[in-house]
Amino acid sequence: MTTLTLTKTESSENLIHQAYEYVDQLLGSFNMRSSNQETVRTIKLILEELIMNSWNHGGLKYQSQYEFKIQLKIEKQEGFKIIYSASENDYDFNIYNHNRPTSPDAIGGKGVLLILNFSSKVDITREKGMNHYIIHLDG
Amino acid sequence: MLYLSMKKSDDHILTLIASGELNTDTVSKFDNYVNTNITDNDHYVILDVSELEYLSSAGLRSMIILMKKLSAQNSKLIIYSPQEFVLRVLNVSGFAQLIHIAHNDEELQSLLENDSH
């Protein structure tokens, strides 16, 4: 597992940037060809939405300092298996109102349902009581 | 990376061209560019996303803010020529039902001609 750590005093953009670099590096090691760009983009979308959901969760924004930590692992085996864990992860999928996406605050960084609906190739599970998600992606 | 440019025409149409990726990492650049360049005289803003390869919910948020801002000044946002990945994000988020999307020049012309401005 690769651990990315950020304190709340930094910007969420930094974390996304780190995560993207990690994904690019890892997928490069899988010898992903240019024809797999859709899969690469889907993995990036899954991770960005999960990270931003975790980041925005709860009352973190009211704390002046907070160490935010995520752990990532991507395995290539009959498609991809992404294991994602965050120090704050108690996210309610229902917050994102799929039927009324007119409020900016209802959408930005709250896209877990977006990825749940994104592709029939994506299967996301969260073990009950566990603080991580396991995502399976055909590719 | 996100690359932005624009074209203004005499008939109150502003075309914003976005290429690359519109995500949490790049969305502040998009917001700043939009806020700097759009004026009350722009009756239509065409967001050309034909070279945009990636869109996340952070980018959707900015598009909704832009749509509401334009609506308040009685202007219209048109998303032009989204690629498959971007179109899928617009569809599954429900955003495609709220906004005008022109897949090609014919549809764009039709949207402009049929509008009451």
Side-chain angles (χ1 to χ4, degrees), chain A residues 13 17 20 38 41 44-45 48-49 98 101-102 105 107 109 114 117-118, chain B residues 21 23-25 53-57 60-61 64-65 68 85 88-89 92-93:
Chain A
E13 287 86 347
H17 194 73
Y20 278 0
E38 284 298 297
R41 288 176 192 136
K44 287 170 80 168
L45 182 72
E48 179 175 344
E49 300 301 342
H98 185 57
T102 54
D105 289 334
I107 285 196
L114 181 71
N117 286 283
F118 189 69
Chain B
E21 300 188 350
N23 56 33
T24 305
D25 202 18
E53 298 170 346
Y54 178 93
L55 173 68
S56 72
S57 65
L60 283 176
R61 181 180 189 274
I64 289 181
I65 290 171
K68 289 193 165 189
F85 186 91
R88 211 183 318 158
V89 172
V92 298
S93 63

PDB file of all heavy atoms in Angstrom, chain A residues 13 17 20 38 41 44-45 48-49 98 101-102 105 107 109 114 117-118, chain B residues 21 23-25 53-57 60-61 64-65 68 85 88-89 92-93:
ATOM      1  N   GLU A  13      -5.923  20.042  -3.583  1.00  0.00           N
ATOM      2  CA  GLU A  13      -5.321  19.874  -4.900  1.00  0.00           C
ATOM      3  C   GLU A  13      -3.988  19.137  -4.806  1.00  0.00           C
ATOM      4  O   GLU A  13      -3.647  18.342  -5.684  1.00  0.00           O
ATOM      5  CB  GLU A  13      -5.107  21.233  -5.582  1.00  0.00           C
ATOM      6  CG  GLU A  13      -6.372  21.908  -6.088  1.00  0.00           C
ATOM      7  CD  GLU A  13      -7.048  22.738  -5.022  1.00  0.00           C
ATOM      8  OE1 GLU A  13      -6.671  22.593  -3.828  1.00  0.00           O
ATOM      9  OE2 GLU A  13      -7.953  23.509  -5.352  1.00  0.00           O
ATOM     10  N   HIS A  17      -3.080  15.773  -6.755  1.00  0.00           N
ATOM     11  CA  HIS A  17      -1.892  15.782  -7.613  1.00  0.00           C
ATOM     12  C   HIS A  17      -0.982  14.601  -7.276  1.00  0.00           C
ATOM     13  O   HIS A  17      -0.507  13.894  -8.166  1.00  0.00           O
ATOM     14  CB  HIS A  17      -1.146  17.107  -7.434  1.00  0.00           C
ATOM     15  CG  HIS A  17      -0.117  17.356  -8.482  1.00  0.00           C
ATOM     16  ND1 HIS A  17      -0.452  17.692  -9.780  1.00  0.00           N
ATOM     17  CD2 HIS A  17       1.231  17.292  -8.443  1.00  0.00           C
ATOM     18  CE1 HIS A  17       0.657  17.821 -10.485  1.00  0.00           C
ATOM     19  NE2 HIS A  17       1.689  17.587  -9.699  1.00  0.00           N
ATOM     20  N   TYR A  20      -2.625  11.389  -8.518  1.00  0.00           N
ATOM     21  CA  TYR A  20      -2.497  11.252  -9.970  1.00  0.00           C
ATOM     22  C   TYR A  20      -1.104  10.765 -10.358  1.00  0.00           C
ATOM     23  O   TYR A  20      -0.937   9.909 -11.224  1.00  0.00           O
ATOM     24  CB  TYR A  20      -2.770  12.592 -10.658  1.00  0.00           C
ATOM     25  CG  TYR A  20      -4.222  12.916 -10.853  1.00  0.00           C
ATOM     26  CD1 TYR A  20      -5.219  12.051 -10.429  1.00  0.00           C
ATOM     27  CD2 TYR A  20      -4.616  14.086 -11.488  1.00  0.00           C
ATOM     28  CE1 TYR A  20      -6.546  12.345 -10.620  1.00  0.00           C
ATOM     29  CE2 TYR A  20      -5.934  14.394 -11.682  1.00  0.00           C
ATOM     30  CZ  TYR A  20      -6.898  13.525 -11.243  1.00  0.00           C
ATOM     31  OH  TYR A  20      -8.207  13.827 -11.443  1.00  0.00           O
ATOM     32  N   GLU A  38      -9.134   4.914 -21.621  1.00  0.00           N
ATOM     33  CA  GLU A  38     -10.431   4.983 -20.944  1.00  0.00           C
ATOM     34  C   GLU A  38     -10.351   4.352 -19.554  1.00  0.00           C
ATOM     35  O   GLU A  38     -10.930   4.865 -18.593  1.00  0.00           O
ATOM     36  CB  GLU A  38     -11.504   4.265 -21.774  1.00  0.00           C
ATOM     37  CG  GLU A  38     -11.991   5.045 -22.973  1.00  0.00           C
ATOM     38  CD  GLU A  38     -12.660   6.366 -22.598  1.00  0.00           C
ATOM     39  OE1 GLU A  38     -13.701   6.340 -21.925  1.00  0.00           O
ATOM     40  OE2 GLU A  38     -12.104   7.415 -22.985  1.00  0.00           O
ATOM     41  N   ARG A  41      -8.436   6.741 -17.266  1.00  0.00           N
ATOM     42  CA  ARG A  41      -9.295   7.865 -16.845  1.00  0.00           C
ATOM     43  C   ARG A  41     -10.324   7.408 -15.820  1.00  0.00           C
ATOM     44  O   ARG A  41     -10.637   8.137 -14.873  1.00  0.00           O
ATOM     45  CB  ARG A  41      -9.999   8.457 -18.061  1.00  0.00           C
ATOM     46  CG  ARG A  41      -9.067   9.241 -18.957  1.00  0.00           C
ATOM     47  CD  ARG A  41      -9.769   9.729 -20.202  1.00  0.00           C
ATOM     48  NE  ARG A  41      -8.808  10.225 -21.173  1.00  0.00           N
ATOM     49  CZ  ARG A  41      -8.833   9.960 -22.471  1.00  0.00           C
ATOM     50  NH1 ARG A  41      -9.793   9.206 -22.978  1.00  0.00           N
ATOM     51  NH2 ARG A  41      -7.913  10.445 -23.271  1.00  0.00           N
ATOM     52  N   LYS A  44      -8.637   7.094 -12.482  1.00  0.00           N
ATOM     53  CA  LYS A  44      -8.388   8.428 -11.925  1.00  0.00           C
ATOM     54  C   LYS A  44      -9.674   9.050 -11.386  1.00  0.00           C
ATOM     55  O   LYS A  44      -9.682   9.690 -10.336  1.00  0.00           O
ATOM     56  CB  LYS A  44      -7.776   9.335 -12.994  1.00  0.00           C
ATOM     57  CG  LYS A  44      -6.326   8.980 -13.293  1.00  0.00           C
ATOM     58  CD  LYS A  44      -5.779   9.697 -14.498  1.00  0.00           C
ATOM     59  CE  LYS A  44      -5.355  11.099 -14.202  1.00  0.00           C
ATOM     60  NZ  LYS A  44      -4.565  11.696 -15.308  1.00  0.00           N
ATOM     61  N   LEU A  45     -10.773   8.846 -12.096  1.00  0.00           N
ATOM     62  CA  LEU A  45     -12.056   9.392 -11.642  1.00  0.00           C
ATOM     63  C   LEU A  45     -12.474   8.750 -10.319  1.00  0.00           C
ATOM     64  O   LEU A  45     -12.890   9.440  -9.387  1.00  0.00           O
ATOM     65  CB  LEU A  45     -13.138   9.170 -12.701  1.00  0.00           C
ATOM     66  CG  LEU A  45     -14.511   9.756 -12.351  1.00  0.00           C
ATOM     67  CD1 LEU A  45     -14.488  11.277 -12.445  1.00  0.00           C
ATOM     68  CD2 LEU A  45     -15.605   9.222 -13.259  1.00  0.00           C
ATOM     69  N   GLU A  48     -10.191  10.156  -7.577  1.00  0.00           N
ATOM     70  CA  GLU A  48     -10.454  11.568  -7.283  1.00  0.00           C
ATOM     71  C   GLU A  48     -11.748  11.728  -6.494  1.00  0.00           C
ATOM     72  O   GLU A  48     -11.806  12.473  -5.512  1.00  0.00           O
ATOM     73  CB  GLU A  48     -10.532  12.388  -8.574  1.00  0.00           C
ATOM     74  CG  GLU A  48     -10.826  13.859  -8.274  1.00  0.00           C
ATOM     75  CD  GLU A  48     -10.801  14.757  -9.501  1.00  0.00           C
ATOM     76  OE1 GLU A  48     -10.279  14.337 -10.539  1.00  0.00           O
ATOM     77  OE2 GLU A  48     -11.311  15.885  -9.399  1.00  0.00           O
ATOM     78  N   GLU A  49     -12.788  11.022  -6.927  1.00  0.00           N
ATOM     79  CA  GLU A  49     -14.072  11.170  -6.240  1.00  0.00           C
ATOM     80  C   GLU A  49     -14.004  10.615  -4.817  1.00  0.00           C
ATOM     81  O   GLU A  49     -14.555  11.209  -3.881  1.00  0.00           O
ATOM     82  CB  GLU A  49     -15.186  10.478  -7.035  1.00  0.00           C
ATOM     83  CG  GLU A  49     -15.382  11.013  -8.447  1.00  0.00           C
ATOM     84  CD  GLU A  49     -15.718  12.500  -8.499  1.00  0.00           C
ATOM     85  OE1 GLU A  49     -16.135  13.063  -7.473  1.00  0.00           O
ATOM     86  OE2 GLU A  49     -15.545  13.111  -9.562  1.00  0.00           O
ATOM     87  N   HIS A  98     -28.800  12.442  -6.748  1.00  0.00           N
ATOM     88  CA  HIS A  98     -28.664  12.165  -8.173  1.00  0.00           C
ATOM     89  C   HIS A  98     -29.774  12.825  -8.994  1.00  0.00           C
ATOM     90  O   HIS A  98     -29.585  13.174 -10.151  1.00  0.00           O
ATOM     91  CB  HIS A  98     -28.710  10.651  -8.379  1.00  0.00           C
ATOM     92  CG  HIS A  98     -28.468  10.228  -9.785  1.00  0.00           C
ATOM     93  ND1 HIS A  98     -27.322  10.579 -10.481  1.00  0.00           N
ATOM     94  CD2 HIS A  98     -29.212   9.498 -10.637  1.00  0.00           C
ATOM     95  CE1 HIS A  98     -27.385  10.063 -11.683  1.00  0.00           C
ATOM     96  NE2 HIS A  98     -28.509   9.414 -11.822  1.00  0.00           N
ATOM     97  N   PRO A 101     -29.315  17.597  -9.359  1.00  0.00           N
ATOM     98  CA  PRO A 101     -27.913  18.020  -9.343  1.00  0.00           C
ATOM     99  C   PRO A 101     -27.723  19.496  -9.672  1.00  0.00           C
ATOM    100  O   PRO A 101     -26.846  19.862 -10.424  1.00  0.00           O
ATOM    101  CB  PRO A 101     -27.300  17.132 -10.424  1.00  0.00           C
ATOM    102  CG  PRO A 101     -28.399  16.954 -11.401  1.00  0.00           C
ATOM    103  CD  PRO A 101     -29.689  16.999 -10.627  1.00  0.00           C
ATOM    104  N   THR A 102     -28.582  20.362  -9.153  1.00  0.00           N
ATOM    105  CA  THR A 102     -28.495  21.780  -9.514  1.00  0.00           C
ATOM    106  C   THR A 102     -27.676  22.596  -8.524  1.00  0.00           C
ATOM    107  O   THR A 102     -27.289  23.710  -8.816  1.00  0.00           O
ATOM    108  CB  THR A 102     -29.902  22.401  -9.597  1.00  0.00           C
ATOM    109  OG1 THR A 102     -30.579  22.142  -8.373  1.00  0.00           O
ATOM    110  CG2 THR A 102     -30.675  21.801 -10.752  1.00  0.00           C
ATOM    111  N   ASP A 105     -22.834  22.766  -4.450  1.00  0.00           N
ATOM    112  CA  ASP A 105     -22.301  22.083  -3.278  1.00  0.00           C
ATOM    113  C   ASP A 105     -22.782  20.646  -3.171  1.00  0.00           C
ATOM    114  O   ASP A 105     -22.260  19.858  -2.394  1.00  0.00           O
ATOM    115  CB  ASP A 105     -22.676  22.852  -2.007  1.00  0.00           C
ATOM    116  CG  ASP A 105     -21.890  24.147  -1.918  1.00  0.00           C
ATOM    117  OD1 ASP A 105     -20.794  24.198  -2.506  1.00  0.00           O
ATOM    118  OD2 ASP A 105     -22.382  25.096  -1.293  1.00  0.00           O
ATOM    119  N   ILE A 107     -22.626  18.648  -5.593  1.00  0.00           N
ATOM    120  CA  ILE A 107     -21.895  17.859  -6.589  1.00  0.00           C
ATOM    121  C   ILE A 107     -20.391  17.869  -6.366  1.00  0.00           C
ATOM    122  O   ILE A 107     -19.769  16.825  -6.318  1.00  0.00           O
ATOM    123  CB  ILE A 107     -22.214  18.375  -8.008  1.00  0.00           C
ATOM    124  CG1 ILE A 107     -23.613  17.896  -8.372  1.00  0.00           C
ATOM    125  CG2 ILE A 107     -21.211  17.840  -9.009  1.00  0.00           C
ATOM    126  CD1 ILE A 107     -23.919  17.992  -9.820  1.00  0.00           C
ATOM    127  N   GLY A 109     -16.951  17.325  -5.446  1.00  0.00           N
ATOM    128  CA  GLY A 109     -16.306  16.481  -4.449  1.00  0.00           C
ATOM    129  C   GLY A 109     -17.228  15.493  -3.785  1.00  0.00           C
ATOM    130  O   GLY A 109     -16.905  14.911  -2.758  1.00  0.00           O
ATOM    131  N   LEU A 114     -21.626   9.153  -8.520  1.00  0.00           N
ATOM    132  CA  LEU A 114     -21.229   9.339  -9.918  1.00  0.00           C
ATOM    133  C   LEU A 114     -20.459   8.124 -10.421  1.00  0.00           C
ATOM    134  O   LEU A 114     -20.751   7.579 -11.478  1.00  0.00           O
ATOM    135  CB  LEU A 114     -20.365  10.595 -10.031  1.00  0.00           C
ATOM    136  CG  LEU A 114     -19.864  10.987 -11.414  1.00  0.00           C
ATOM    137  CD1 LEU A 114     -21.007  11.497 -12.266  1.00  0.00           C
ATOM    138  CD2 LEU A 114     -18.799  12.052 -11.305  1.00  0.00           C
ATOM    139  N   ASN A 117     -22.493   4.929 -10.718  1.00  0.00           N
ATOM    140  CA  ASN A 117     -23.319   4.882 -11.915  1.00  0.00           C
ATOM    141  C   ASN A 117     -22.499   5.000 -13.193  1.00  0.00           C
ATOM    142  O   ASN A 117     -23.049   5.039 -14.271  1.00  0.00           O
ATOM    143  CB  ASN A 117     -24.336   6.033 -11.892  1.00  0.00           C
ATOM    144  CG  ASN A 117     -25.438   5.769 -10.903  1.00  0.00           C
ATOM    145  OD1 ASN A 117     -26.342   4.990 -11.156  1.00  0.00           O
ATOM    146  ND2 ASN A 117     -25.338   6.402  -9.753  1.00  0.00           N
ATOM    147  N   PHE A 118     -21.197   5.084 -13.037  1.00  0.00           N
ATOM    148  CA  PHE A 118     -20.395   5.477 -14.173  1.00  0.00           C
ATOM    149  C   PHE A 118     -20.255   4.389 -15.227  1.00  0.00           C
ATOM    150  O   PHE A 118     -20.331   4.644 -16.410  1.00  0.00           O
ATOM    151  CB  PHE A 118     -18.997   5.909 -13.711  1.00  0.00           C
ATOM    152  CG  PHE A 118     -18.186   6.537 -14.791  1.00  0.00           C
ATOM    153  CD1 PHE A 118     -18.543   7.779 -15.291  1.00  0.00           C
ATOM    154  CD2 PHE A 118     -17.099   5.910 -15.339  1.00  0.00           C
ATOM    155  CE1 PHE A 118     -17.814   8.373 -16.298  1.00  0.00           C
ATOM    156  CE2 PHE A 118     -16.362   6.486 -16.341  1.00  0.00           C
ATOM    157  CZ  PHE A 118     -16.726   7.726 -16.824  1.00  0.00           C
TER     158      PHE A 118
ATOM    159  N   GLU B  21      -7.537  18.291 -18.818  1.00  0.00           N
ATOM    160  CA  GLU B  21      -8.321  17.689 -17.746  1.00  0.00           C
ATOM    161  C   GLU B  21      -8.930  18.773 -16.847  1.00  0.00           C
ATOM    162  O   GLU B  21      -8.227  19.684 -16.416  1.00  0.00           O
ATOM    163  CB  GLU B  21      -7.435  16.773 -16.892  1.00  0.00           C
ATOM    164  CG  GLU B  21      -6.805  15.642 -17.698  1.00  0.00           C
ATOM    165  CD  GLU B  21      -6.092  14.613 -16.816  1.00  0.00           C
ATOM    166  OE1 GLU B  21      -5.933  14.874 -15.611  1.00  0.00           O
ATOM    167  OE2 GLU B  21      -5.719  13.560 -17.348  1.00  0.00           O
ATOM    168  N   ASN B  23     -10.401  18.942 -13.375  1.00  0.00           N
ATOM    169  CA  ASN B  23     -10.514  18.139 -12.157  1.00  0.00           C
ATOM    170  C   ASN B  23     -10.210  19.009 -10.941  1.00  0.00           C
ATOM    171  O   ASN B  23     -10.043  20.227 -11.060  1.00  0.00           O
ATOM    172  CB  ASN B  23      -9.558  16.939 -12.234  1.00  0.00           C
ATOM    173  CG  ASN B  23      -8.117  17.370 -12.484  1.00  0.00           C
ATOM    174  OD1 ASN B  23      -7.688  18.420 -12.026  1.00  0.00           O
ATOM    175  ND2 ASN B  23      -7.381  16.568 -13.229  1.00  0.00           N
ATOM    176  N   THR B  24     -10.111  18.382  -9.781  1.00  0.00           N
ATOM    177  CA  THR B  24      -9.837  19.130  -8.550  1.00  0.00           C
ATOM    178  C   THR B  24      -8.534  19.913  -8.659  1.00  0.00           C
ATOM    179  O   THR B  24      -8.401  21.002  -8.110  1.00  0.00           O
ATOM    180  CB  THR B  24      -9.750  18.156  -7.364  1.00  0.00           C
ATOM    181  OG1 THR B  24     -10.959  17.395  -7.325  1.00  0.00           O
ATOM    182  CG2 THR B  24      -9.593  18.891  -6.053  1.00  0.00           C
ATOM    183  N   ASP B  25      -7.597  19.345  -9.384  1.00  0.00           N
ATOM    184  CA  ASP B  25      -6.270  19.940  -9.526  1.00  0.00           C
ATOM    185  C   ASP B  25      -6.298  21.205 -10.383  1.00  0.00           C
ATOM    186  O   ASP B  25      -5.478  22.109 -10.207  1.00  0.00           O
ATOM    187  CB  ASP B  25      -5.342  18.891 -10.160  1.00  0.00           C
ATOM    188  CG  ASP B  25      -3.875  19.156  -9.875  1.00  0.00           C
ATOM    189  OD1 ASP B  25      -3.579  19.910  -8.939  1.00  0.00           O
ATOM    190  OD2 ASP B  25      -3.036  18.604 -10.600  1.00  0.00           O
ATOM    191  N   GLU B  53     -10.296  15.803 -22.142  1.00  0.00           N
ATOM    192  CA  GLU B  53     -10.210  14.346 -22.040  1.00  0.00           C
ATOM    193  C   GLU B  53     -10.783  13.803 -20.745  1.00  0.00           C
ATOM    194  O   GLU B  53     -11.068  12.606 -20.638  1.00  0.00           O
ATOM    195  CB  GLU B  53      -8.743  13.909 -22.156  1.00  0.00           C
ATOM    196  CG  GLU B  53      -8.113  14.270 -23.495  1.00  0.00           C
ATOM    197  CD  GLU B  53      -6.617  14.062 -23.501  1.00  0.00           C
ATOM    198  OE1 GLU B  53      -6.034  13.893 -22.420  1.00  0.00           O
ATOM    199  OE2 GLU B  53      -6.039  14.072 -24.596  1.00  0.00           O
ATOM    200  N   TYR B  54     -10.937  14.671 -19.736  1.00  0.00           N
ATOM    201  CA  TYR B  54     -11.303  14.168 -18.401  1.00  0.00           C
ATOM    202  C   TYR B  54     -12.116  15.229 -17.666  1.00  0.00           C
ATOM    203  O   TYR B  54     -11.806  16.420 -17.722  1.00  0.00           O
ATOM    204  CB  TYR B  54     -10.022  13.859 -17.616  1.00  0.00           C
ATOM    205  CG  TYR B  54     -10.225  13.383 -16.202  1.00  0.00           C
ATOM    206  CD1 TYR B  54     -10.299  12.029 -15.898  1.00  0.00           C
ATOM    207  CD2 TYR B  54     -10.334  14.288 -15.147  1.00  0.00           C
ATOM    208  CE1 TYR B  54     -10.487  11.594 -14.589  1.00  0.00           C
ATOM    209  CE2 TYR B  54     -10.511  13.868 -13.840  1.00  0.00           C
ATOM    210  CZ  TYR B  54     -10.575  12.514 -13.565  1.00  0.00           C
ATOM    211  OH  TYR B  54     -10.754  12.084 -12.277  1.00  0.00           O
ATOM    212  N   LEU B  55     -13.157  14.783 -16.993  1.00  0.00           N
ATOM    213  CA  LEU B  55     -14.017  15.678 -16.201  1.00  0.00           C
ATOM    214  C   LEU B  55     -14.434  14.942 -14.947  1.00  0.00           C
ATOM    215  O   LEU B  55     -14.891  13.796 -15.013  1.00  0.00           O
ATOM    216  CB  LEU B  55     -15.259  16.057 -17.030  1.00  0.00           C
ATOM    217  CG  LEU B  55     -16.352  16.850 -16.328  1.00  0.00           C
ATOM    218  CD1 LEU B  55     -15.869  18.265 -15.986  1.00  0.00           C
ATOM    219  CD2 LEU B  55     -17.604  16.927 -17.213  1.00  0.00           C
ATOM    220  N   SER B  56     -14.276  15.593 -13.784  1.00  0.00           N
ATOM    221  CA  SER B  56     -14.727  14.983 -12.523  1.00  0.00           C
ATOM    222  C   SER B  56     -15.834  15.846 -11.924  1.00  0.00           C
ATOM    223  O   SER B  56     -16.215  16.870 -12.491  1.00  0.00           O
ATOM    224  CB  SER B  56     -13.560  14.876 -11.540  1.00  0.00           C
ATOM    225  OG  SER B  56     -13.223  16.160 -11.052  1.00  0.00           O
ATOM    226  N   SER B  57     -16.306  15.453 -10.744  1.00  0.00           N
ATOM    227  CA  SER B  57     -17.400  16.209 -10.126  1.00  0.00           C
ATOM    228  C   SER B  57     -16.970  17.628  -9.773  1.00  0.00           C
ATOM    229  O   SER B  57     -17.794  18.539  -9.733  1.00  0.00           O
ATOM    230  CB  SER B  57     -17.925  15.484  -8.888  1.00  0.00           C
ATOM    231  OG  SER B  57     -16.935  15.431  -7.878  1.00  0.00           O
ATOM    232  N   LEU B  60     -17.713  19.488 -12.814  1.00  0.00           N
ATOM    233  CA  LEU B  60     -19.167  19.659 -12.944  1.00  0.00           C
ATOM    234  C   LEU B  60     -19.642  20.822 -12.085  1.00  0.00           C
ATOM    235  O   LEU B  60     -20.506  21.602 -12.488  1.00  0.00           O
ATOM    236  CB  LEU B  60     -19.893  18.388 -12.501  1.00  0.00           C
ATOM    237  CG  LEU B  60     -19.905  17.198 -13.452  1.00  0.00           C
ATOM    238  CD1 LEU B  60     -20.594  16.018 -12.779  1.00  0.00           C
ATOM    239  CD2 LEU B  60     -20.623  17.543 -14.747  1.00  0.00           C
ATOM    240  N   ARG B  61     -19.078  20.902 -10.885  1.00  0.00           N
ATOM    241  CA  ARG B  61     -19.463  21.978  -9.961  1.00  0.00           C
ATOM    242  C   ARG B  61     -19.203  23.344 -10.610  1.00  0.00           C
ATOM    243  O   ARG B  61     -20.061  24.232 -10.562  1.00  0.00           O
ATOM    244  CB  ARG B  61     -18.666  21.845  -8.665  1.00  0.00           C
ATOM    245  CG  ARG B  61     -18.976  22.887  -7.617  1.00  0.00           C
ATOM    246  CD  ARG B  61     -18.120  22.664  -6.378  1.00  0.00           C
ATOM    247  NE  ARG B  61     -18.548  23.524  -5.290  1.00  0.00           N
ATOM    248  CZ  ARG B  61     -18.133  24.767  -5.112  1.00  0.00           C
ATOM    249  NH1 ARG B  61     -17.272  25.277  -5.973  1.00  0.00           N
ATOM    250  NH2 ARG B  61     -18.569  25.493  -4.100  1.00  0.00           N
ATOM    251  N   ILE B  64     -21.746  24.104 -13.293  1.00  0.00           N
ATOM    252  CA  ILE B  64     -23.048  24.508 -12.751  1.00  0.00           C
ATOM    253  C   ILE B  64     -23.004  25.957 -12.264  1.00  0.00           C
ATOM    254  O   ILE B  64     -23.933  26.741 -12.490  1.00  0.00           O
ATOM    255  CB  ILE B  64     -23.481  23.564 -11.618  1.00  0.00           C
ATOM    256  CG1 ILE B  64     -23.858  22.207 -12.214  1.00  0.00           C
ATOM    257  CG2 ILE B  64     -24.660  24.148 -10.840  1.00  0.00           C
ATOM    258  CD1 ILE B  64     -24.323  21.202 -11.214  1.00  0.00           C
ATOM    259  N   ILE B  65     -21.914  26.322 -11.605  1.00  0.00           N
ATOM    260  CA  ILE B  65     -21.765  27.718 -11.158  1.00  0.00           C
ATOM    261  C   ILE B  65     -21.791  28.647 -12.371  1.00  0.00           C
ATOM    262  O   ILE B  65     -22.457  29.688 -12.361  1.00  0.00           O
ATOM    263  CB  ILE B  65     -20.458  27.883 -10.349  1.00  0.00           C
ATOM    264  CG1 ILE B  65     -20.589  27.161  -9.007  1.00  0.00           C
ATOM    265  CG2 ILE B  65     -20.135  29.356 -10.135  1.00  0.00           C
ATOM    266  CD1 ILE B  65     -19.298  27.083  -8.220  1.00  0.00           C
ATOM    267  N   LYS B  68     -25.335  28.922 -13.773  1.00  0.00           N
ATOM    268  CA  LYS B  68     -26.203  29.776 -12.949  1.00  0.00           C
ATOM    269  C   LYS B  68     -25.844  31.253 -13.105  1.00  0.00           C
ATOM    270  O   LYS B  68     -26.721  32.119 -13.129  1.00  0.00           O
ATOM    271  CB  LYS B  68     -26.100  29.349 -11.480  1.00  0.00           C
ATOM    272  CG  LYS B  68     -26.764  28.013 -11.221  1.00  0.00           C
ATOM    273  CD  LYS B  68     -26.937  27.743  -9.746  1.00  0.00           C
ATOM    274  CE  LYS B  68     -27.912  26.597  -9.545  1.00  0.00           C
ATOM    275  NZ  LYS B  68     -28.284  26.411  -8.152  1.00  0.00           N
ATOM    276  N   PHE B  85     -15.833  10.108 -22.825  1.00  0.00           N
ATOM    277  CA  PHE B  85     -15.658  10.043 -21.369  1.00  0.00           C
ATOM    278  C   PHE B  85     -16.384  11.210 -20.696  1.00  0.00           C
ATOM    279  O   PHE B  85     -17.108  11.031 -19.708  1.00  0.00           O
ATOM    280  CB  PHE B  85     -14.166  10.078 -21.013  1.00  0.00           C
ATOM    281  CG  PHE B  85     -13.877   9.877 -19.545  1.00  0.00           C
ATOM    282  CD1 PHE B  85     -13.641   8.613 -19.031  1.00  0.00           C
ATOM    283  CD2 PHE B  85     -13.839  10.959 -18.681  1.00  0.00           C
ATOM    284  CE1 PHE B  85     -13.380   8.433 -17.678  1.00  0.00           C
ATOM    285  CE2 PHE B  85     -13.575  10.792 -17.334  1.00  0.00           C
ATOM    286  CZ  PHE B  85     -13.339   9.520 -16.832  1.00  0.00           C
ATOM    287  N   ARG B  88     -20.095  10.820 -20.830  1.00  0.00           N
ATOM    288  CA  ARG B  88     -20.589   9.835 -19.869  1.00  0.00           C
ATOM    289  C   ARG B  88     -20.742  10.473 -18.481  1.00  0.00           C
ATOM    290  O   ARG B  88     -21.701  10.236 -17.764  1.00  0.00           O
ATOM    291  CB  ARG B  88     -19.640   8.638 -19.810  1.00  0.00           C
ATOM    292  CG  ARG B  88     -20.374   7.339 -19.499  1.00  0.00           C
ATOM    293  CD  ARG B  88     -19.440   6.153 -19.376  1.00  0.00           C
ATOM    294  NE  ARG B  88     -18.394   6.110 -20.371  1.00  0.00           N
ATOM    295  CZ  ARG B  88     -17.252   5.427 -20.202  1.00  0.00           C
ATOM    296  NH1 ARG B  88     -17.041   4.774 -19.083  1.00  0.00           N
ATOM    297  NH2 ARG B  88     -16.344   5.412 -21.135  1.00  0.00           N
ATOM    298  N   VAL B  89     -19.765  11.301 -18.088  1.00  0.00           N
ATOM    299  CA  VAL B  89     -19.855  11.994 -16.795  1.00  0.00           C
ATOM    300  C   VAL B  89     -21.070  12.930 -16.779  1.00  0.00           C
ATOM    301  O   VAL B  89     -21.817  12.991 -15.799  1.00  0.00           O
ATOM    302  CB  VAL B  89     -18.561  12.786 -16.498  1.00  0.00           C
ATOM    303  CG1 VAL B  89     -18.728  13.661 -15.267  1.00  0.00           C
ATOM    304  CG2 VAL B  89     -17.382  11.833 -16.307  1.00  0.00           C
ATOM    305  N   VAL B  92     -24.314  10.521 -16.526  1.00  0.00           N
ATOM    306  CA  VAL B  92     -24.596   9.798 -15.281  1.00  0.00           C
ATOM    307  C   VAL B  92     -24.839  10.749 -14.116  1.00  0.00           C
ATOM    308  O   VAL B  92     -25.498  10.398 -13.141  1.00  0.00           O
ATOM    309  CB  VAL B  92     -23.488   8.791 -14.903  1.00  0.00           C
ATOM    310  CG1 VAL B  92     -23.332   7.729 -15.957  1.00  0.00           C
ATOM    311  CG2 VAL B  92     -22.178   9.480 -14.611  1.00  0.00           C
ATOM    312  N   SER B  93     -24.326  11.977 -14.214  1.00  0.00           N
ATOM    313  CA  SER B  93     -24.550  12.954 -13.144  1.00  0.00           C
ATOM    314  C   SER B  93     -25.915  13.638 -13.274  1.00  0.00           C
ATOM    315  O   SER B  93     -26.354  14.331 -12.362  1.00  0.00           O
ATOM    316  CB  SER B  93     -23.456  14.025 -13.171  1.00  0.00           C
ATOM    317  OG  SER B  93     -23.512  14.749 -14.388  1.00  0.00           O
TER     318      SER B  93
END
